[in-house]
Amino acid sequence: MRNLISANLHRLWKSKVFWGCEIVGALYALFLSQALYMDMQTNGIPQCLDSGLCNYIVFFGIILAVFCSLYLGSELGDGTIRNKVAAGHRKSRIYLASLLACAIAATIMYLTYLIVYLAASMPRLLPLKADIATVVAILASGLVLALAYCALYTLIAMTVSNKAVVSTACILLAFVLFLMGIAIRQRLEQPETFEILDYDSVTHEEIYTGQYISNNKYLQPSKRQVYEFLDDFLPGGQGLNLSGMMKPELTFDGILPLYSLCIVALATSTGLILFTRKDLY
């Protein structure tokens, strides 16, 4: 197992995909920091470190989809894994070593974003608005969520031999989870009623009538419970919740990292079963 991990890490340091993802994360941190600073200078809107500190979490799943699919897909497609099996390594250890390599890469990319963002933003933006315990808990949960994404992508990459199919499936899954998170959050935020508006024919201004109509898109209690569970459980919803992008301020829900760990356990166990039964020859 130690030799497998060492070989994977050696290949990781030489991986152009890994360093490319590192550069993308660093550039995004610089761009976001500059955008928040310009918004504060131009529009006079106060921007705290909170505004972008956790923002990367919601897009990290897409970055990891690109990295894991290319990093692991090439290993299986080029016959490297067949050589490891021929050398006497157990399939389960090969799978876990590959997952661990992706998890280490994800951790490094995650820390790179945080370091670059803080270095660029601390001298220019306002201090944290949320308390430090909440921020640390959110960042830790974001890392656990990244591990859940790695587990899902490793499952795909280690059980599908075609590199093109692996890349397409992982990236498609990342976008589907992201869009599902947005759609579920929008349904949860639907109001129960709408106020009827009228318009002044002279000034063309809106007039509030004080009359309300029901909103047929409002979720009733039974459906709302299902949507709330999916919002917390699915990685896309977790990313939105942790990033604070669709909330006025950062908040932490302790159930989210537990759901991420459940995804890690389910994806890893399924992947191990499928991969150990897979014919590599």
Side-chain angles (χ1 to χ4, degrees), residues 128 145 233 261:
L128 287 172
L145 176 59
F233 182 80
L261 290 175

Side-chain angles (χ1 to χ4, degrees), residues 90-101:
R90 294 172 58 182
K91 287 184 178 180
S92 59
R93 292 185 177 182
I94 295 173
Y95 186 96
L96 293 175
S98 298
L99 175 58
L100 183 59

Side-chain angles (χ1 to χ4, degrees), residues 89 91 108 121 144 200 220 226 237 239 252 257 264 272 277 279:
H89 295 290
K91 287 184 178 180
I108 295 172
S121 302
V144 179
D200 191 302
Q220 299 302 319
V226 175
F252 174 67
V264 172
L272 282 171
R277 296 179 180 177
D279 185 8

Side-chain angles (χ1 to χ4, degrees), residues 53-61 64 103 106-111 113-114 133-150 235 237-244 250-258 260-261 264:
L53 184 61
C54 304
N55 190 275
Y56 191 51
I57 296 174
V58 74
F59 303 111
F60 201 22
L64 289 176
T107 302
I108 295 172
M109 286 186 273
Y110 190 64
L111 292 176
Y113 169 82
L114 293 177
T134 299
V135 173
V136 170
I138 291 174
L139 293 177
S141 296
L143 182 57
V144 179
L145 176 59
L147 299 182
Y149 274 117
C150 288
Q238 285 194 46
L240 290 171
N241 287 326
L242 292 171
S243 69
L250 294 177
T251 56
F252 174 67
D253 187 349
I255 196 66
L256 299 184
L258 297 179
S260 292
L261 290 175
V264 172

